[in-house]
Coordinates of all heavy atoms in Angstrom, one line a residue:
S1 N 56.3 5.6 -24.7 CA 57.7 5.3 -25.5 C 58.8 6.0 -24.7 O 59.9 5.6 -25.0 CB 57.4 5.9 -26.9 OG 57.3 7.2 -26.9
I2 N 58.5 6.9 -23.9 CA 59.6 7.6 -23.3 C 60.1 6.7 -22.1 O 61.2 6.8 -21.7 CB 59.1 9.0 -22.7 CG1 58.7 9.9 -23.8 CG2 60.1 9.6 -21.8 CD1 58.1 11.2 -23.4
N3 N 59.2 5.9 -21.6 CA 59.6 4.9 -20.5 C 59.6 3.5 -21.0 O 58.7 2.8 -20.7 CB 58.6 5.0 -19.4 CG 58.5 6.4 -18.7 OD1 59.5 7.0 -18.4 ND2 57.2 6.9 -18.5
P4 N 60.7 3.2 -21.5 CA 60.9 1.8 -22.2 C 61.1 0.7 -21.2 O 61.0 -0.5 -21.6 CB 62.0 2.0 -23.2 CG 62.9 3.0 -22.6 CD 61.9 4.0 -21.8
G5 N 61.3 1.0 -19.9 CA 61.7 0.0 -18.9 C 60.5 -0.9 -18.7 O 59.5 -0.6 -18.7
E6 N 60.9 -2.2 -18.5 CA 59.8 -3.2 -18.1 C 59.5 -3.1 -16.6 O 60.3 -2.9 -15.8 CB 60.4 -4.6 -18.4 CG 60.6 -4.9 -19.8 CD 59.4 -5.2 -20.6 OE1 58.6 -6.0 -20.0 OE2 59.2 -4.7 -21.8
V7 N 58.3 -3.3 -16.3 CA 57.7 -3.2 -15.0 C 57.0 -4.6 -14.6 O 56.3 -5.0 -15.5 CB 56.8 -2.2 -14.8 CG1 56.2 -2.1 -13.4 CG2 57.4 -0.8 -15.1
S8 N 57.3 -5.2 -13.5 CA 56.7 -6.4 -13.2 C 55.4 -6.1 -12.4 O 55.4 -5.3 -11.4 CB 57.6 -7.2 -12.3 OG 57.0 -8.4 -11.9
V9 N 54.2 -6.6 -12.8 CA 53.0 -6.3 -12.2 C 52.5 -7.6 -11.5 O 52.3 -8.6 -12.3 CB 51.9 -5.8 -13.2 CG1 50.6 -5.7 -12.5 CG2 52.4 -4.6 -13.9
H10 N 52.4 -7.7 -10.3 CA 52.0 -8.8 -9.5 C 50.5 -8.7 -9.2 O 50.1 -7.7 -8.7 CB 52.8 -8.9 -8.2 CG 54.2 -9.1 -8.4 ND1 54.8 -10.4 -8.7 CD2 55.2 -8.2 -8.3 CE1 56.1 -10.2 -8.7 NE2 56.4 -8.9 -8.6
Y11 N 49.7 -9.6 -9.6 CA 48.2 -9.5 -9.3 C 47.8 -10.8 -8.7 O 48.7 -11.9 -8.6 CB 47.5 -9.2 -10.6 CG 47.7 -10.0 -11.7 CD1 46.9 -11.1 -12.0 CD2 48.7 -9.8 -12.7 CE1 47.0 -11.9 -13.1 CE2 49.0 -10.6 -13.7 CZ 48.0 -11.7 -13.9 OH 48.3 -12.5 -15.1
Y12 N 46.6 -11.1 -8.4 CA 46.1 -12.2 -7.6 C 46.4 -13.6 -8.3 O 46.8 -14.5 -7.7 CB 44.6 -12.1 -7.4 CG 44.1 -13.1 -6.4 CD1 44.3 -13.0 -5.1 CD2 43.3 -14.2 -6.9 CE1 43.8 -14.0 -4.3 CE2 42.8 -15.2 -6.2 CZ 43.1 -15.0 -4.7 OH 42.4 -15.9 -3.8
F13 N 46.4 -13.7 -9.6 CA 46.5 -14.9 -10.3 C 47.9 -15.1 -10.9 O 48.3 -16.2 -11.3 CB 45.5 -15.1 -11.5 CG 44.1 -15.0 -11.0 CD1 43.3 -14.0 -11.3 CD2 43.7 -16.1 -10.3 CE1 41.9 -14.0 -10.8 CE2 42.3 -16.2 -9.9 CZ 41.5 -15.1 -10.2
G14 N 48.7 -14.1 -10.9 CA 50.1 -14.3 -11.3 C 50.9 -13.0 -11.5 O 50.7 -12.1 -10.7
E15 N 51.7 -13.0 -12.5 CA 52.6 -11.8 -12.7 C 52.8 -11.6 -14.2 O 52.7 -12.5 -15.0 CB 54.0 -12.2 -12.1 CG 55.1 -11.2 -12.3 CD 56.3 -11.5 -11.7 OE1 56.3 -12.5 -10.9 OE2 57.3 -10.9 -12.1
I16 N 52.9 -10.4 -14.5 CA 53.1 -10.0 -16.0 C 54.2 -8.9 -16.1 O 54.3 -8.1 -15.2 CB 51.8 -9.6 -16.7 CG1 51.9 -9.4 -18.2 CG2 51.3 -8.3 -16.1 CD1 50.6 -9.4 -18.7
Q17 N 55.0 -9.0 -17.2 CA 55.9 -7.9 -17.5 C 55.4 -7.0 -18.6 O 55.0 -7.4 -19.6 CB 57.2 -8.5 -17.9 CG 57.9 -9.4 -16.9 CD 58.8 -8.6 -15.9 OE1 59.1 -7.5 -16.2 NE2 59.0 -9.1 -14.8
L18 N 55.3 -5.7 -18.3 CA 54.8 -4.7 -19.2 C 55.7 -3.5 -19.3 O 56.4 -3.1 -18.3 CB 53.5 -4.2 -18.8 CG 52.3 -5.2 -18.8 CD1 51.0 -4.6 -18.2 CD2 52.0 -5.6 -20.2
P19 N 55.8 -2.9 -20.4 CA 56.6 -1.6 -20.5 C 55.8 -0.5 -19.7 O 54.6 -0.6 -19.6 CB 56.5 -1.2 -22.0 CG 56.2 -2.5 -22.7 CD 55.4 -3.3 -21.8
M20 N 56.6 0.4 -19.1 CA 55.9 1.3 -18.2 C 54.9 2.2 -18.9 O 53.8 2.5 -18.4 CB 57.1 2.3 -17.7 CG 56.5 3.4 -16.8 SD 55.9 2.8 -15.2 CE 57.4 2.7 -14.3
G21 N 55.1 2.6 -20.1 CA 54.1 3.4 -20.9 C 52.8 2.6 -21.1 O 51.7 3.3 -21.0
V22 N 53.0 1.4 -21.4 CA 51.7 0.6 -21.6 C 51.0 0.4 -20.3 O 49.7 0.6 -20.3 CB 52.1 -0.8 -22.2 CG1 50.8 -1.8 -22.2 CG2 52.6 -0.7 -23.6
L23 N 51.7 0.2 -19.2 CA 51.1 0.1 -17.9 C 50.3 1.4 -17.5 O 49.1 1.4 -17.1 CB 52.0 -0.2 -16.9 CG 51.5 -0.3 -15.5 CD1 50.5 -1.6 -15.4 CD2 52.6 -0.6 -14.5
I24 N 50.9 2.6 -17.8 CA 50.3 3.9 -17.4 C 49.1 4.0 -18.2 O 48.0 4.5 -17.8 CB 51.4 4.9 -17.5 CG1 52.5 4.9 -16.5 CG2 50.7 6.3 -17.6 CD1 53.6 5.8 -16.7
L25 N 49.2 3.8 -19.5 CA 48.0 4.1 -20.4 C 46.9 3.1 -20.0 O 45.7 3.4 -20.0 CB 48.4 3.8 -21.9 CG 49.2 4.9 -22.5 CD1 49.6 4.6 -23.9 CD2 48.5 6.2 -22.5
G26 N 47.2 1.8 -19.7 CA 46.2 0.9 -19.3 C 45.5 1.3 -17.9 O 44.2 1.3 -17.9
V27 N 46.2 1.7 -17.1 CA 45.6 2.2 -15.8 C 44.8 3.5 -16.0 O 43.7 3.6 -15.5 CB 46.7 2.4 -14.7 CG1 46.1 3.0 -13.4 CG2 47.4 1.1 -14.3
L28 N 45.2 4.3 -16.9 CA 44.5 5.6 -17.2 C 43.2 5.2 -17.8 O 42.1 5.7 -17.5 CB 45.3 6.4 -18.1 CG 44.7 7.7 -18.5 CD1 44.4 8.7 -17.3 CD2 45.6 8.5 -19.5
G29 N 43.3 4.2 -18.8 CA 42.1 3.9 -19.5 C 41.1 3.2 -18.6 O 39.9 3.5 -18.6
I30 N 41.5 2.2 -17.6 CA 40.6 1.6 -16.7 C 40.0 2.8 -15.8 O 38.8 2.7 -15.5 CB 41.4 0.6 -15.9 CG1 41.7 -0.6 -16.8 CG2 40.5 0.1 -14.7 CD1 42.6 -1.6 -16.1
G31 N 40.8 3.7 -15.4 CA 40.3 4.8 -14.5 C 39.2 5.6 -15.3 O 38.1 6.0 -14.7
I32 N 39.4 5.9 -16.5 CA 38.4 6.7 -17.2 C 37.1 5.8 -17.4 O 36.0 6.4 -17.2 CB 38.9 7.0 -18.6 CG1 40.0 8.1 -18.5 CG2 37.9 7.5 -19.6 CD1 40.8 8.4 -19.8
I33 N 37.2 4.6 -17.7 CA 36.1 3.7 -17.8 C 35.2 3.7 -16.6 O 34.0 3.8 -16.5 CB 36.4 2.3 -18.4 CG1 36.9 2.4 -19.8 CG2 35.2 1.3 -18.2 CD1 37.5 1.1 -20.3
I34 N 35.9 3.5 -15.4 CA 35.3 3.4 -14.1 C 34.6 4.7 -13.8 O 33.5 4.8 -13.3 CB 36.3 3.0 -13.0 CG1 36.6 1.5 -13.2 CG2 35.7 3.2 -11.6 CD1 37.8 1.1 -12.3
G35 N 35.3 5.8 -14.1 CA 34.7 7.1 -13.8 C 33.4 7.4 -14.7 O 32.5 8.0 -14.2
I36 N 33.4 6.9 -15.9 CA 32.3 7.2 -16.7 C 31.2 6.3 -16.3 O 30.0 6.8 -16.2 CB 32.6 6.8 -18.3 CG1 33.5 7.8 -18.8 CG2 31.3 6.7 -19.1 CD1 34.0 7.4 -20.2
I37 N 31.3 5.1 -15.8 CA 30.4 4.2 -15.3 C 29.8 4.8 -14.0 O 28.5 4.8 -13.9 CB 30.9 2.8 -15.0 CG1 31.2 2.1 -16.4 CG2 29.9 2.0 -14.2 CD1 32.0 0.8 -16.4
V38 N 30.6 5.3 -13.1 CA 30.1 5.9 -11.8 C 29.3 7.1 -12.1 O 28.2 7.4 -11.6 CB 31.3 6.2 -10.9 CG1 30.9 7.0 -9.7 CG2 31.9 4.8 -10.4
S39 N 29.8 8.0 -13.0 CA 29.0 9.2 -13.5 C 27.8 8.9 -14.0 O 26.7 9.6 -13.7 CB 29.9 10.1 -14.5 OG 31.1 10.4 -13.8
L40 N 27.6 7.9 -14.9 CA 26.3 7.5 -15.6 C 25.3 7.0 -14.4 O 24.2 7.3 -14.5 CB 26.5 6.4 -16.6 CG 27.1 7.0 -17.9 CD1 27.4 5.8 -18.8 CD2 26.2 7.9 -18.6
I41 N 25.8 6.1 -13.5 CA 25.0 5.7 -12.4 C 24.5 7.0 -11.6 O 23.2 7.0 -11.3 CB 25.7 4.8 -11.5 CG1 26.0 3.5 -12.3 CG2 24.9 4.5 -10.2 CD1 26.9 2.5 -11.6
M42 N 25.2 7.8 -11.3 CA 24.7 9.0 -10.6 C 23.8 9.9 -11.4 O 22.9 10.4 -10.9 CB 26.0 9.8 -10.1 CG 26.9 9.2 -9.0 SD 28.4 10.1 -8.7 CE 27.7 11.7 -8.1
F43 N 24.1 10.0 -12.7 CA 23.2 10.8 -13.6 C 21.8 10.1 -13.6 O 20.8 10.8 -13.6 CB 23.9 10.8 -14.9 CG 23.1 11.6 -15.9 CD1 23.0 13.0 -15.9 CD2 22.3 10.9 -16.9 CE1 22.2 13.7 -16.8 CE2 21.6 11.6 -17.8 CZ 21.5 13.0 -17.8
I44 N 21.8 8.8 -13.7 CA 20.5 8.1 -13.8 C 19.7 8.3 -12.5 O 18.5 8.5 -12.5 CB 20.8 6.6 -14.1 CG1 21.1 6.5 -15.6 CG2 19.5 5.8 -14.0 CD1 21.7 5.1 -16.0
R45 N 20.4 8.2 -11.4 CA 19.7 8.3 -10.1 C 19.2 9.7 -9.9 O 18.0 9.9 -9.5 CB 20.7 8.1 -9.0 CG 21.0 6.6 -8.7 CD 21.9 6.5 -7.5 NE 22.2 5.0 -7.3 CZ 23.1 4.6 -6.4 NH1 23.8 5.4 -5.7 NH2 23.3 3.3 -6.3
I46 N 20.0 10.7 -10.4 CA 19.5 12.1 -10.3 C 18.3 12.4 -11.2 O 17.3 13.0 -10.8 CB 20.6 13.1 -10.5 CG1 21.6 13.1 -9.4 CG2 20.1 14.5 -10.8 CD1 22.9 13.8 -9.6
K47 N 18.3 11.8 -12.4 CA 17.2 11.9 -13.3 C 16.0 11.4 -12.7 O 14.9 11.9 -12.9 CB 17.5 11.3 -14.7 CG 18.6 12.1 -15.5 CD 18.0 13.4 -16.0 CE 17.4 13.1 -17.4 NZ 17.0 14.3 -18.0
H48 N 16.0 10.1 -12.1 CA 15.0 9.4 -11.6 C 14.4 10.3 -10.4 O 13.1 10.4 -10.3 CB 15.4 8.0 -11.0 CG 14.3 7.3 -10.4 ND1 13.1 6.9 -11.0 CD2 14.1 7.0 -9.1 CE1 12.4 6.2 -10.2 NE2 12.9 6.3 -9.0
E49 N 15.3 10.8 -9.5 CA 14.8 11.6 -8.4 C 14.1 12.9 -8.9 O 13.1 13.4 -8.4 CB 16.0 12.0 -7.5 CG 15.5 12.8 -6.3 CD 16.8 13.2 -5.4 OE1 18.0 12.8 -5.8 OE2 16.6 13.9 -4.4
N50 N 14.7 13.5 -9.9 CA 14.1 14.7 -10.5 C 12.7 14.5 -11.1 O 11.7 15.2 -10.9 CB 15.0 15.2 -11.7 CG 14.7 16.6 -12.2 OD1 13.8 17.3 -11.6 ND2 15.2 16.9 -13.3
A51 N 12.5 13.3 -11.8 CA 11.2 12.9 -12.2 C 10.2 12.7 -11.2 O 9.1 13.1 -11.3 CB 11.3 11.7 -13.1
T52 N 10.7 12.1 -10.1 CA 9.7 11.8 -9.0 C 9.4 13.2 -8.3 O 8.1 13.4 -8.0 CB 10.5 10.9 -7.9 OG1 10.8 9.7 -8.5 CG2 9.6 10.7 -6.8
L53 N 10.3 14.1 -8.1 CA 10.0 15.4 -7.5 C 9.0 16.2 -8.5 O 8.1 17.0 -8.0 CB 11.2 16.1 -7.2 CG 12.1 15.5 -6.0 CD1 13.4 16.3 -6.0 CD2 11.3 15.6 -4.8
R54 N 9.2 16.0 -9.7 CA 8.5 16.8 -10.7 C 7.0 16.4 -10.7 O 6.1 17.1 -10.7 CB 9.0 16.6 -12.1 CG 8.4 17.7 -13.2 CD 9.0 17.4 -14.5 NE 10.4 17.5 -14.5 CZ 11.1 18.6 -14.6 NH1 10.5 19.7 -14.7 NH2 12.4 18.6 -14.6
R55 N 6.8 15.1 -10.5 CA 5.5 14.5 -10.4 C 4.8 14.9 -9.1 O 3.5 15.3 -9.1 CB 5.5 12.9 -10.4 CG 5.6 12.4 -11.9 CD 5.3 10.8 -11.8 NE 6.3 10.1 -11.0 CZ 7.4 9.6 -11.4 NH1 7.8 9.7 -12.7 NH2 8.3 9.0 -10.6
K56 N 5.6 15.0 -8.0 CA 5.0 15.4 -6.8 C 4.6 16.9 -6.8 O 3.6 17.4 -6.4 CB 5.9 15.2 -5.6 CG 6.1 13.8 -5.2 CD 7.1 13.6 -4.1 CE 7.2 12.2 -3.7 NZ 8.3 12.0 -2.6
A57 N 5.4 17.6 -7.5 CA 5.2 19.1 -7.7 C 4.0 19.3 -8.5 O 3.2 20.3 -8.3 CB 6.4 19.8 -8.2
D58 N 3.9 18.6 -9.5 CA 2.6 18.6 -10.4 C 1.4 18.3 -9.6 O 0.3 19.0 -9.8 CB 2.7 17.7 -11.6 CG 3.8 18.2 -12.7 OD1 4.1 19.4 -12.5 OD2 4.2 17.4 -13.5
L59 N 1.4 17.4 -8.7 CA 0.2 17.1 -7.9 C -0.1 18.1 -7.0 O -1.3 18.5 -6.8 CB 0.5 15.7 -7.1 CG 0.5 14.4 -7.9 CD1 1.0 13.2 -7.1 CD2 -0.9 14.2 -8.5
V60 N 1.0 18.6 -6.4 CA 0.7 19.7 -5.4 C 0.2 21.0 -6.2 O -0.9 21.6 -5.7 CB 2.0 20.2 -4.7 CG1 1.8 21.4 -3.9 CG2 2.4 19.0 -3.8
N61 N 0.7 21.3 -7.4 CA 0.1 22.4 -8.1 C -1.3 22.2 -8.4 O -2.2 23.1 -8.5 CB 1.0 22.6 -9.3 CG 2.3 23.2 -9.0 OD1 2.4 24.0 -8.0 ND2 3.2 23.1 -9.8
E62 N -1.7 21.0 -8.9 CA -3.1 20.6 -9.3 C -3.9 20.8 -8.0 O -5.1 21.3 -8.1 CB -3.1 19.2 -9.8 CG -4.5 18.8 -10.4 CD -4.8 19.7 -11.7 OE1 -3.8 20.0 -12.3 OE2 -6.0 19.8 -11.8
E63 N -3.5 20.4 -6.9 CA -4.3 20.5 -5.7 C -4.6 21.9 -5.3 O -5.7 22.3 -4.8 CB -3.6 19.7 -4.5 CG -4.5 19.7 -3.2 CD -3.8 18.9 -2.2 OE1 -2.7 18.3 -2.4 OE2 -4.3 19.0 -1.0
V64 N -3.5 22.8 -5.4 CA -3.7 24.2 -5.1 C -4.6 24.8 -6.1 O -5.6 25.7 -5.7 CB -2.3 24.8 -5.1 CG1 -2.5 26.4 -5.2 CG2 -1.5 24.5 -4.0
K65 N -4.5 24.5 -7.4 CA -5.5 25.0 -8.3 C -6.9 24.6 -8.0 O -7.8 25.4 -8.1 CB -5.0 24.4 -9.7 CG -6.0 24.9 -10.9 CD -5.4 24.3 -12.2 CE -6.3 24.6 -13.3 NZ -6.0 23.9 -14.5
N66 N -7.1 23.3 -7.6 CA -8.4 22.9 -7.3 C -9.0 23.6 -6.1 O -10.2 23.9 -6.0 CB -8.4 21.3 -7.0 CG -8.3 20.5 -8.2 OD1 -8.6 21.1 -9.4 ND2 -7.9 19.4 -8.2
L67 N -8.1 23.8 -5.1 CA -8.5 24.5 -3.8 C -9.0 26.0 -4.2 O -9.7 26.6 -3.5 CB -7.4 24.5 -2.8 CG -7.2 23.1 -2.1 CD1 -6.1 23.1 -1.2 CD2 -8.5 22.7 -1.4
R68 N -8.3 26.6 -5.1 CA -8.6 28.0 -5.4 C -10.0 28.1 -6.1 O -10.5 29.2 -6.1 CB -7.5 28.6 -6.4 CG -6.2 28.8 -5.6 CD -5.2 29.4 -6.5 NE -3.9 29.6 -5.7 CZ -2.7 29.8 -6.2 NH1 -2.6 29.8 -7.5 NH2 -1.7 30.0 -5.4
T69 N -10.4 27.1 -6.8 CA -11.7 27.1 -7.6 C -12.8 26.8 -6.6 O -14.0 27.1 -7.0 CB -11.6 26.1 -8.7 OG1 -11.4 24.9 -8.3 CG2 -10.5 26.5 -9.7
I70 N -12.6 26.3 -5.5 CA -13.8 26.0 -4.5 C -14.2 27.3 -3.9 O -13.4 28.0 -3.3 CB -13.3 25.0 -3.4 CG1 -12.8 23.7 -4.0 CG2 -14.3 24.8 -2.4 CD1 -12.3 22.6 -3.1
P71 N -15.4 27.6 -4.0 CA -16.0 28.8 -3.3 C -15.8 28.8 -1.8 O -16.1 27.7 -1.3 CB -17.3 28.9 -3.8 CG -17.7 27.5 -4.2 CD -16.5 26.9 -4.6
L72 N -15.5 29.9 -1.2 CA -15.5 30.0 0.3 C -16.9 30.0 0.8 O -17.7 30.8 0.3 CB -14.7 31.2 0.7 CG -13.2 31.1 0.4 CD1 -12.6 32.5 0.8 CD2 -12.5 30.0 1.1
K73 N -17.2 29.4 1.9 CA -18.5 29.4 2.5 C -18.5 30.6 3.6 O -17.4 30.8 4.3 CB -18.7 28.2 3.3 CG -18.9 27.0 2.3 CD -19.2 25.8 3.2 CE -19.4 24.5 2.2 NZ -19.7 23.3 2.9
D74 N -19.6 31.3 3.7 CA -19.7 32.3 4.7 C -20.0 31.7 6.1 O -20.6 30.7 6.2 CB -20.9 33.3 4.4 CG -20.6 34.1 3.2 OD1 -19.5 34.3 2.9 OD2 -21.7 34.5 2.5
R75 N -19.4 32.3 7.1 CA -19.6 31.8 8.5 C -20.7 32.4 9.2 O -21.3 33.3 9.2 CB -18.3 32.0 9.3 CG -17.2 31.3 8.8 CD -16.0 31.5 9.6 NE -14.8 30.9 9.2 CZ -13.7 30.7 9.8 NH1 -13.6 31.2 10.9 NH2 -12.7 30.1 9.3

């Protein structure tokens, strides 16, 4: 509301006239949505990698536990 001036926005398919405040809020909203989507994608990838590493660590721990229970043979 502080910036009542009209701004002409040229895009691929045409042109539109918007008040400066509406344009700023629209671009801010689009940026927030894109940021949330990218953050969610990264979060899901990290959770998947964490689960994979946790499974590998469990297998290694199980193998170490099994090796400790095997009696040593005398030479």
Side-chain angles (χ1 to χ4, degrees):
S1 67
I2 296 174
N3 297 313
E6 293 281 320
V7 177
S8 177
V9 178
H10 300 276
Y11 55 96
Y12 189 73
F13 297 110
E15 175 183 344
I16 190 169
Q17 295 282 336
L18 292 172
M20 179 68 83
V22 172
L23 180 64
I24 290 173
L25 287 176
V27 170
L28 179 66
I30 291 170
I32 289 171
I33 290 170
I34 291 172
I36 289 171
I37 291 170
V38 169
S39 296
L40 285 175
I41 291 170
M42 290 175 58
F43 179 74
I44 290 169
R45 283 184 183 169
I46 289 172
K47 288 289 268 185
H48 178 68
E49 182 181 358
N50 190 15
T52 302
L53 291 173
R54 191 177 309 272
R55 279 192 297 269
K56 287 181 182 180
D58 289 343
L59 286 173
V60 169
N61 286 336
E62 188 66 31
E63 185 176 352
V64 167
K65 181 180 172 185
N66 289 339
L67 288 173
R68 287 181 180 161
T69 59
I70 297 173
L72 294 175
K73 294 182 181 179
D74 290 336
R75 291 187 186 185

